[in-house]
Amino acid sequence: MILLKTKEEIELIRDAALLVGKTLAEVGRHIRPGVTTAYLDQIGEQFIRDNGGIPMCKGFEGFPSALCISVNDVVVHGIPGDLFIKEGDNVSVDIVIKLNGYVGDSAYTFAVGEVSPEMQRLMKVTREALYIGLDLCRPGNRVGDIGHAVQMHCEKNGYNVVRELCGHGVGFDMHESPNVPNYGVKGTGPLLKEGMVIAVEPMVCMGSKNVKFSKEDGWTCRTRDGKPAAHFEHTVAITANGPDILSSFDFIENK
Ligand code: MG
């Protein structure tokens, strides 16, 4: 069932989503060659707790960490550990926070120093696909309209979207109905209504769309061909006035 949110509830979800944006920025300030992903996780978890939030990924179905940190060919769900960040890496950080009982979700792919022009382009196109999808988050559109637009933008730029994972409803919990795939057919899927809150999150591969999940940890999702991937995500409310993006990259980009 798709749970609709009141205006007051949307404001509370915004508070949680903005704390996600601030945490992404705080983690981003510490991303540099020589630090480990476990160190970044510790920075993020401390910041979340200092601000009264609960990191929702920690303990979710056994996930061990506060943040998902996915480097290079890891698409999503990377578990922070003793991996050292190095110049030229791309580091995707995905954070879900509960604050005052409401949940926000956002992700950002950071470039470490100088990344290749190919990687810069992948990040740019993935980010564009996110905002193209967000712009369709209006009453009367359907979930398939979002997926279709995201998929078309990525494919026309020579990239592929992951099929195994998708966006989702969010706000009362970290994963609610509906699923919001990054591919689809226009005019299909659940109808978007005022009061819905969803996470739109293109996961885009430079090479093939095929991914594999780690047999060791059950989480880490890598591209099968070893080529890099990028991931950007916002929490958005569907309102009578159109999309209201509740999370923000401003804390990262206007530092
Ligand atoms: Mg999400």
Side-chain angles (χ1 to χ4, degrees):
M1 193 175 69
I2 298 175
L3 303 171
L4 300 180
K5 281 84 179 177
T6 65
K7 287 197 170 81
E8 293 73 23
E9 288 165 340
I10 288 171
E11 290 314 308
L12 291 162
I13 299 167
R14 190 193 311 277
D15 290 342
L18 290 177
L19 181 55
V20 176
K22 290 174 190 167
T23 309
L24 286 170
E26 177 68 10
V27 172
R29 279 190 279 276
H30 290 83
I31 294 179
R32 58 177 172 269
V35 302
T36 64
T37 52
Y39 170 75
L40 297 172
D41 182 62
Q42 188 195 320
I43 295 286
E45 179 167 4
Q46 190 66 50
F47 187 84
I48 293 166
R49 296 196 189 278
D50 285 350
N51 285 279
I54 300 167
M56 291 293 280
C57 292
K58 194 161 192 171
F60 174 77
E61 293 182 0
F63 191 84
S65 308
L67 277 51
C68 295
I69 304 182
S70 307
V71 180
N72 296 337
D73 63 323
V74 178
V75 186
V76 288
H77 300 167
I79 298 176
D82 55 8
L83 178 72
F84 285 93
I85 301 295
K86 56 186 193 312
E87 175 85 12
D89 282 347
N90 81 79
V91 180
S92 301
V93 182
D94 190 353
I95 305 179
V96 187
I97 296 176
K98 184 179 263 190
L99 180 69
N100 300 323
Y102 293 84
V103 180
D105 187 359
S106 181
Y108 193 90
T109 300
F110 296 89
V112 184
E114 285 291 306
V115 300
S116 69
E118 293 79 14
M119 189 59 217
Q120 284 176 30
R121 184 170 169 273
L122 175 67
M123 290 165 59
K124 175 174 168 285
V125 169
T126 304
R127 204 177 181 293
E128 287 167 358
L130 168 63
Y131 284 95
I132 288 168
L134 291 168
D135 191 53
L136 292 166
C137 293
R138 298 166 187 277
N141 284 343
R142 288 183 181 272
V143 165
D145 296 325
I146 302 170
H148 177 79
V150 167
Q151 179 186 8
M152 287 304 116
H153 186 68
C154 295
E155 290 183 357
K156 94 177 174 207
N157 281 284
Y159 302 137
N160 290 293
V161 295
V162 170
R163 302 299 200 271
E164 285 84 348
L165 299 158
C166 58
H168 49 89
V170 67
F172 298 141
D173 207 345
M174 67 186 284
H175 292 132
E176 298 176 17
S177 288
N179 282 340
V180 183
N182 294 303
Y183 61 95
V185 178
K186 267 189 202 175
T188 66
L191 188 64
L192 300 179
K193 290 183 187 154
E194 190 178 348
M196 284 173 64
V197 177
I198 59 175
V200 179
E201 51 176 319
M203 292 160 246
V204 183
C205 303
M206 191 180 284
S208 107
K209 66 182 186 305
N210 298 319
V211 296
K212 57 185 175 190
F213 293 86
S214 161
K215 288 200 174 69
E216 288 80 55
D217 64 40
W219 286 102
T220 310
C221 173
R222 292 179 186 277
T223 60
R224 278 193 181 268
D225 61 13
K227 292 188 178 170
H231 179 213
F232 289 88
E233 174 179 22
H234 272 316
T235 294
V236 60
I238 287 123
T239 77
N241 300 323
D244 183 358
I245 302 172
L246 305 179
S247 45
S248 176
F249 297 152
D250 285 353
F251 306 105
I252 301 168
E253 295 174 355
N254 302 328
K255 39 194 164 185

